[in-house]
Amino acid sequence: MHPPQDVKKKPSEQTVPLHNRWHPAVPPVAEVQTGELFRVEMVDFSGGGITKEYTAEDIKFQDASIQNLPLHNRWHPEIPPVAEVKTGEIFRVEMVDWTARAISDDNSALDVKTLDLSTVHYLSGPIRVVDKNGNPAKPGDLLAVEICNLGPLPGDEWGFTAIFDRENGGGFLTDHFPCATKAIWYFEGIYAYSPHIPGVRFPGLTHPGIVGTAPSMELLNIWNERERKLEETGLQSLKLCEVLHSRPLANLPSTKGCVLGKIKEGTPEWERIAREAARTIPGRENGGNCDIKNLSRGSKVYLPVFVDGANLSTGDMHFSQGDGEVAFCGAIEMSGFLELKCEIIRDGMKKYLTPMGPTPLHVNPIFEIGPVEPRFSEWLVFEGISVDESGRQHYLDASVAYKRAVLNAIDYISKFGYSKEQVYLLLSCCPCEGRISGIVDAPNAVATLAIPIAIFDQDIRPKTSDIVLTGPRLVRNPGLPQCSYDGNLPTTKNPCAST
Amino acid sequence: MHPPQDVKKKPSEQTVPLHNRWHPAVPPVAEVQTGELFRVEMVDFSGGGITKEYTAEDIKFQDASIQNLPLHNRWHPEIPPVAEVKTGEIFRVEMVDWTARAISDDNSALDVKTLDLSTVHYLSGPIRVVDKNGNPAKPGDLLAVEICNLGPLPGDEWGFTAIFDRENGGGFLTDHFPCATKAIWYFEGIYAYSPHIPGVRFPGLTHPGIVGTAPSMELLNIWNERERKLEETGLQSLKLCEVLHSRPLANLPSTKGCVLGKIKEGTPEWERIAREAARTIPGRENGGNCDIKNLSRGSKVYLPVFVDGANLSTGDMHFSQGDGEVAFCGAIEMSGFLELKCEIIRDGMKKYLTPMGPTPLHVNPIFEIGPVEPRFSEWLVFEGISVDESGRQHYLDASVAYKRAVLNAIDYISKFGYSKEQVYLLLSCCPCEGRISGIVDAPNAVATLAIPIAIFDQDIRPKTSDIVLTGPRLVRNPGLPQCSYDGNLPTTKNPCAST
Amino acid sequence: MHPPQDVKKKPSEQTVPLHNRWHPAVPPVAEVQTGELFRVEMVDFSGGGITKEYTAEDIKFQDASIQNLPLHNRWHPEIPPVAEVKTGEIFRVEMVDWTARAISDDNSALDVKTLDLSTVHYLSGPIRVVDKNGNPAKPGDLLAVEICNLGPLPGDEWGFTAIFDRENGGGFLTDHFPCATKAIWYFEGIYAYSPHIPGVRFPGLTHPGIVGTAPSMELLNIWNERERKLEETGLQSLKLCEVLHSRPLANLPSTKGCVLGKIKEGTPEWERIAREAARTIPGRENGGNCDIKNLSRGSKVYLPVFVDGANLSTGDMHFSQGDGEVAFCGAIEMSGFLELKCEIIRDGMKKYLTPMGPTPLHVNPIFEIGPVEPRFSEWLVFEGISVDESGRQHYLDASVAYKRAVLNAIDYISKFGYSKEQVYLLLSCCPCEGRISGIVDAPNAVATLAIPIAIFDQDIRPKTSDIVLTGPRLVRNPGLPQCSYDGNLPTTKNPCAST
Amino acid sequence: MHPPQDVKKKPSEQTVPLHNRWHPAVPPVAEVQTGELFRVEMVDFSGGGITKEYTAEDIKFQDASIQNLPLHNRWHPEIPPVAEVKTGEIFRVEMVDWTARAISDDNSALDVKTLDLSTVHYLSGPIRVVDKNGNPAKPGDLLAVEICNLGPLPGDEWGFTAIFDRENGGGFLTDHFPCATKAIWYFEGIYAYSPHIPGVRFPGLTHPGIVGTAPSMELLNIWNERERKLEETGLQSLKLCEVLHSRPLANLPSTKGCVLGKIKEGTPEWERIAREAARTIPGRENGGNCDIKNLSRGSKVYLPVFVDGANLSTGDMHFSQGDGEVAFCGAIEMSGFLELKCEIIRDGMKKYLTPMGPTPLHVNPIFEIGPVEPRFSEWLVFEGISVDESGRQHYLDASVAYKRAVLNAIDYISKFGYSKEQVYLLLSCCPCEGRISGIVDAPNAVATLAIPIAIFDQDIRPKTSDIVLTGPRLVRNPGLPQCSYDGNLPTTKNPCAST
């Protein structure tokens, strides 16, 4: 039995210099031998102090991915594998959160506001997959990856959800909520709760936001070309760019912040690859940052293989996320582990996938859902149609419809004692479902957002009784960590709301 | 006990003239007294004949809505109620299918190709709702409508699913599937099966496609104005109009085909209202044609009230529908009944809804899901990203992403012995779920389509065994009723598919 | 649209004699022609009156089973079929409640106290099943019966739940609750509520309590012999007979109250069969009164066939029932209909069933559960162990353990404003689950009773807060219709309870 | 990232003496320093060898519970707590399997046959619970224990399921299956599979078989007295003792094999307590060995408190278990961990529990089910009635009915290529549900056993097609590890089965 632990204590001062970023450049403050028992004292944000004993072994374990095996934050066929696995083997992958610990468990959103987005997402991998005879997965195969188990790293059971500043990342509703904002979540086994969003607690549908194979050079070129075109002409040609205000439209390759695993920075090879390698922000043909909340325990994803060995990478672990991950850094972001098992379906791309585009590479992964998702039986559902906040009619636009559904839900739930930022964060990370309900009844797409009622400690349903009791209308912790928005882009106010 | 019935018999000739549309203008071929027992012989499509005995009472029952209470197919505040209900009362509403029986249970898609869309959707109502003291629902109230029960009309247990011709209605994938196509479904209690799409059978998540309140004149004007603007300028300003090919962009008011309930055609009042009344095609602030498949048994929808008495109307019954209803007439369309119970939440719009637009009328309904939805535990899921078939990158466009996910699913399932049209119809009407999985990872939205595996009589999952068995690859009934496409709009071929 | 109906009105006097039992012997008060429209006025229990118009057709429809096709209330191979169905056909079976309307929708439990149990259960059938070539099901076959749909009879949407008097039927807890007691339930579509048990409302998991095939003479003899032995020696040899106090131990064949379908009472054949025919109370090898609540919509039961044609009978419709049906007449008993489809598995008994007893007839049905059961995600669970109320230890006795779990649950829920009789009735009819959790840890069996929390309008979970709020402790309608217990059997009082 | 591990390798010979029991008395074969890296080579059952590197730290971690904190295997108020926790704290409890590693991961059932049952179950605890002010839980309080998380111990992901010899433990069907038999299960994250029962794989509903509080001396005396009475007179007075053949009827206190935590063996105190302390086999008023499979992640159990500090103990971790745990050692037994959180409800026993017996101590725990149980939507269900294998009629006996249902299921599933012992083990450990369906229809209780279909790699449903395909009828690994039965108690053969 472990001694019972009091997870949350008050902070105090330290006698050695502190740091609040996790980065190779931070100098060590002490040195320990493997196996040596030593003691670390640390502050937390509110005044007390905790004591935890580590051995060097423990720390190696916690950060094996950083210290022993290099990470990468770009997609490129030439990033060399850091490990090899055989089909049928169970193996364990550990990972830092997508920012590599740049966001702290504290009461300030400054780290969110100033996060250097050129360095994300830190991925574990690539992992080369071979069959039982040692023959690698080949382009044209399908790689079946079963997620046998996953979770937070032991001893690191917390995560964060954030709204990014409109000038630095933004999000689905950045025109409504331009300020950097943060909420911290603590885990109690399967449950998460946040001191910043009181009155809710829910079981996590934990999943990796990113799982993908390496692209071939041909596929990489397709990505870079089409995204460059969007970046150049999107604002002129695409109405959605007016309605969804996150910028830039696309994140093109950039050497700034680039991390390429075993390829050493400063070499000519690094320079070339860094200029070509795709950013990890969007999901693409190789899977990648699809942020599909149902890729959880027991699910199995079938990824197309574009390079020898498949070169599987994964990262961006989410304790929980709502469909759409609307606040951008909207899931409960955390470090974590995966236990995976791979199979190779030879020639599976031809057998099972049909490209939907000009080349045979224009395919998408498919997956099966696992059997242990949290069960909810009561849902409150918000509708949205493709008419935007200014009253303009869009044509069958599910993104606009979903934006309206999410805005509707935020306003509704804010009536039960929450600030709108709290609800925006909550709908980003709780297990809510975003549906495309109707996509054919021109001119309106209808999208719906379904929220499980059981996550609240009060009944949020409308009351049909003549005397409507909407609860004590507690202002539930207005002190969400938040920074000011210092830019001058116009914001969208609900045109007819009184508040 | 009823005598067991052989539902499907062979057709034969009739001695009285037949008709294949259900419309007041079709002249009667015989006259019967109430209560009189008489005999009707009828043909069916394949050569035999069936005999069914009706009494006049039965027919009155089947078509009460048409014969006793007039229907309407437009939204307007001045369409008078046909009935009044009190809050707390259970009442029953019966309805014809949305085409008022213009589509027949036969082996030809000609009726689909030539359907006069100016006459849809035929709605039952309006129903005026008053409280227990007789005071009507008032503008600003919320009308809570509980769907206590619903189903097909006894003796009429069948429905249809159709792809509309690209020149007449179209659908989500009309550029891929321009031909009018039809599938007939028969119901065995909770289950539906189709001789046109063999090998699938599923329980219906039955729901009304349309439930809504009457708009006020102010709201009606908002609708007409914004949709007129779209119709006039959409092709120039909205990129989606290039990608989603259904036309027209909006359906503006038109006297052609207009049915206005108790208002007599030919009167000046009729002329005026018909020119103003909104078409029922899109879902809007009043609810309407939202096609939300989860509005089923035990659900409760909270509708804003815009006119005295609320003037609730409902129609477009679906035995089952997939999220998106992608083939447009994509649900299993049927006649049916609802058992409803209403409550009035006084001032509920202010209490619970926040307008998301320039006026206090820019709101949307909310609803709760019922407890008896069909349960499935195994799902195969298809992903799509916002890159279209030509390889163009769209910006966070969930509609494009969902189109790609649906196309992916169609191609995949067609490998198991189906034609693509069969799968397109199937995904329109089976209980599949369409999700907005990621909407923030610029430039790609990620949408997913989840299909319950248990509806198939074969295992459609990818096989990871070295020897892949994809089944006997039966061509499952290629004889889907279909018409040629005679227009000359270009179609979208999968650019790199071999077939 | 049907005119909205006010289902519950006040009673008044009638000018023709009334009756409060449904039995062939009640003389007609009027005669109508088929199809003739006529008017019936009727009383209800509380003073007002309602008016409903019937046609003779309607009445035929409502009570077809009684008037056109004779019922039966015994199992015997020689009861002739009343109908024949082919495999693959959907057919509809209507049925009266198990008492054939002997229990009224009123505020008195006198009908429960005095019910003549010799006449139950009234079954619809037998139905002879033949294959598509007209060959009947044969002994040794399996009859697969799919329950495609079911529900209450339209216009008759109510039911009753009752505790039987200890001298007349009893129940699982008859030593605790010896008085005849009744609760009436009204249906609102999928939901039931009772004025006698306020504060609960739940969706029904509707099912027939009885579905079975006719026994062969050999099987019938086995039944009669083993039950006679129990009746004669059980009190001496079986400890459970002391703990479970319902009497008689078995119901042996009796000519009193016997109804044998097409066989005319008074004939020698009738006399002989009535003396041999098994009572319908217990479930047996042929299925019969198994009271399995999951035999609902979409389920499929595989029944062994013992006689030519299978001779399927069904009855005892339950709108809802908890596992165990503990109050004996504990389900929500109602009239109703089934839509069924049969298949014959030739030689299926040998293929799929293995007898567990001295003859090849000692088999049991198997079944598959349907996909639309009501979903609940939160349950409160009560444990019981095989120690009885006197503190005696029983050996791995799941019946004793379940009795204790049910008693625990009754006491617990009664703390939330209910009388114990109300909870006893509620746990008999709500969709609670009774489990055999542990059956090997000598000497205690552990049984559990799981109650869905969502059926209550208050939160019945224990509260861990320091200040425990157990709600307003309303006495929720103590006026449950109840009779006195006039017998002199000792009752079991909770030995240490204060009340 | 951990290096990928090949979990199952071939055995080889060792140069240091081996042992196949996990017990403090086994002498060490080597000594290592904390943190020292060393190498262990070990055999497995089939001939090869594996190499695994441990540090001393790892071993400390694996067996912390044994080495640092003493275990206990009896219930007694005077066993001192080994740890103290505060309410609201999350704490972690690790535990050995119930036999403390006496059963090995090998191909012989000899360890099962010869297991010394006097030493079970090894429990972790007692844990003293105090509130935030340091005041302990008091007799009369309720202790709410939330199971926040649980699972196998990392690096120890395997378990076993066993049939015990009829002379040593037995089981629910020991008269049918008297031989000691074993199956080993390996875990792949949430899934378990067994080389001994091929063709099945299922997600675990992991739970502790035992969670309980310490009894007071008064309660302990009640237990000992009533169980002694059963042991002395049960065979004469209880019919079930003839039908359920496990012996002894009860396990009375015994100093043999007794382990009492911090109390040193050999002291007078140890002798006294060992003679009084109750065995842990049955579940009782304090919870204990209830083997309730739904006490899994996210559930919360409310335990009565009988001594100061509650003295919570837990053990007997199950990766998965079917209702009833029919083979006795029928769950997948494993070592594991729990993450728990406690609350104290002051005076909760009086507030929430009503005693069902002669003293206020005759209560039972209640619990809430967690939200992440594995989901299955298709079940095949077997019925049983209270007629035993000899054809005798029992009176409303749910144990007999369940025995018949289990026997029916075993025979049925054995038709799909399994031996009956394999199915008996499978039904003990897979997530099947055992229900008391009818308990009032004298003389037959009806019990049902529902098996999730998805755990099999073949479709086990009966086929209604004329040509019945029951699969290739593979004999699925008849080589289940099994010992002969050397006793001479009569066994029960299915009297009319051909095999």
Side-chain angles (χ1 to χ4, degrees), chain C residues 10-53:
Chain C
K10 291 198 284 177
S12 70
E13 283 298 307
Q14 286 276 88
T15 57
V16 290
L18 300 175
H19 61 118
N20 64 3
R21 293 294 186 281
W22 207 277
H23 195 277
V26 179
V29 296
E31 182 174 324
V32 297
Q33 295 298 315
T34 298
E36 183 184 349
L37 194 67
F38 63 99
R39 175 185 181 94
V40 178
E41 292 183 8
M42 64 189 75
V43 298
D44 84 12
F45 52 81
S46 61
I50 68 169
T51 297
K52 196 168 169 189
E53 292 189 1

Side-chain angles (χ1 to χ4, degrees), chain A residues 216-229:
Chain A
S216 63
M217 206 60 218
E218 184 188 355
L219 182 57
L220 183 60
N221 289 336
I222 290 172
W223 293 352
N224 285 337
E225 187 184 353
R226 76 185 179 204
E227 293 180 15
R228 189 166 288 120
K229 230 176 255 175

Side-chain angles (χ1 to χ4, degrees), chain C residues 137-138 140-144 302-305 343-353 364-366, chain D residues 462:
Chain C
K138 289 283 181 189
D141 293 344
L142 271 186
L143 184 68
Y302 300 87
L303 296 166
V305 176
E343 302 291 338
I344 296 169
I345 304 181
R346 294 294 180 191
D347 287 321
M349 282 176 67
K350 193 161 22 174
K351 277 182 196 142
Y352 288 115
L353 304 183
N364 296 101
I366 59 181

Side-chain angles (χ1 to χ4, degrees), chain D residues 152-211:
Chain D
L153 287 179
D156 199 30
E157 287 96 350
W158 72 281
F160 58 92
T161 301
I163 303 170
F164 272 34
D165 188 276
R166 190 163 176 188
E167 314 273 334
N168 187 33
F172 190 47
L173 306 178
T174 194
D175 52 328
H176 291 253
F177 301 103
C179 301
T181 311
K182 186 167 84 173
I184 300 298
W185 296 85
Y186 300 111
F187 310 149
E188 295 186 330
I190 61 169
Y191 293 107
Y193 73 92
S194 171
H196 296 125
I197 308 177
V200 293
R201 185 181 189 239
F202 48 82
L205 181 54
T206 303
H207 61 277
I210 297 180
V211 55

Side-chain angles (χ1 to χ4, degrees), chain B residues 371-393:
Chain B
V372 292
E373 297 194 346
R375 296 180 302 181
F376 301 101
S377 54
E378 295 167 301
W379 302 80
L380 189 62
V381 189
F382 295 86
E383 303 180 18
I385 58 175
S386 50
V387 172
D388 67 25
E389 297 95 314
S390 72
R392 265 184 312 180
Q393 178 72 57

Side-chain angles (χ1 to χ4, degrees), chain B residues 242-253:
Chain B
E242 285 176 27
V243 183
L244 305 181
H245 294 78
S246 281
R247 295 291 174 273
L249 299 184
N251 292 276
L252 300 176

